[in-house]
Amino acid sequence: MSDLFASAGQHEPWIESLDAGVSLLHGFAKDNAAVLYQEIIAISARSTYRHLSTPGGYVMSVETTSCGARGWFSDQHGYRYVSRDPISNAPWPVMPESFLRLAGDAAKAAGFDQFVPDACLINRYLPGAKMSLHQDKNERDYSAPIVSVSLGLPATFMFGGNLRSDPVKHLDLLHGDVLVWGGVSRLRFHGVMPIAPGQHALCGQQRINLTFRLAG
Ligand code: SIN
Ligand code: FE2
């Protein structure tokens, strides 16, 4: 992996600049992970995880829920943000302070000041779940970065270019890592390889990803 040698002797958290507008903040969320995880449990008790369908009729292998003013949603009518959970018909759970602080601090450490997300997508990957290459492009304005937090089982993240056909780099994302991409890299294709089975001390047999965005 690209960071194998760079990481020797480094103390977490440390910031790896991968490309223009792309930073991997190793271990940035580790100290907060237990607090974040408790919040995730509380959120998913109110707005349960669900397998969304793509407009093309494919059922996603990840399960998702959301918190914040806007929640990302997908069904046969398309990809979009909605302000209420379509299952409960209630507003999405409020974004916890700990989430807002982490997202803002991570964006700042990566060179993006004043990031205040209005959407947090929570993806739960059980072993075997994956996410195909895609762009995050349902947001109104692309000047804000994407802040993506990994918890639990490790993932191999696929990070491509601005075209679907561009070469893809593979990154190991470990518990507590935060990947930030924005600026000229805001619309890079990305995805997640199938998660390998395993057991994580805090999160059990799953990987959780928090994706913070400014959607509206
Ligand atoms: C996503 O692109 O929505 C998820 C990325 C990840 O799980 O790391
Ligand atoms: Fe994405």
Side-chain angles (χ1 to χ4, degrees), residues 121 123 131-132 134-136 146 157 181 188 190-191 209 211 213:
L121 173 65
N123 291 308
M131 190 165 299
S132 307
H134 66 279
Q135 293 168 295
D136 288 7
I146 304 290
F157 191 79
W181 66 96
R188 299 270 290 266
H190 59 279
N209 165 258
T211 295
R213 306 183 182 122

Side-chain angles (χ1 to χ4, degrees), residues 25-69:
L25 313 178
H26 294 266
F28 195 86
K30 224 177 191 173
D31 289 349
N32 291 101
V35 171
L36 300 173
Y37 191 60
Q38 285 312 309
E39 297 284 15
I40 291 164
I41 290 172
I43 291 164
S44 60
R46 292 188 46 203
S47 275
T48 54
Y49 288 111
R50 77 276 327 246
H51 291 279
L52 295 175
S53 299
T54 67
Y58 170 81
V59 178
M60 295 174 74
S61 58
V62 296
E63 297 159 82
T64 67
T65 185
S66 281
C67 66

Side-chain angles (χ1 to χ4, degrees), residues 130-143:
K130 66 182 173 67
M131 190 165 299
S132 307
L133 272 187
H134 66 279
Q135 293 168 295
D136 288 7
K137 58 176 188 185
N138 305 127
E139 299 72 36
R140 189 172 297 166
D141 139 18
Y142 300 142
S143 60

Side-chain angles (χ1 to χ4, degrees), residues 147-162:
V147 173
S148 175
V149 178
S150 292
L151 297 172
L153 293 178
T156 302
F157 191 79
M158 301 180 280
F159 202 57
N162 289 327

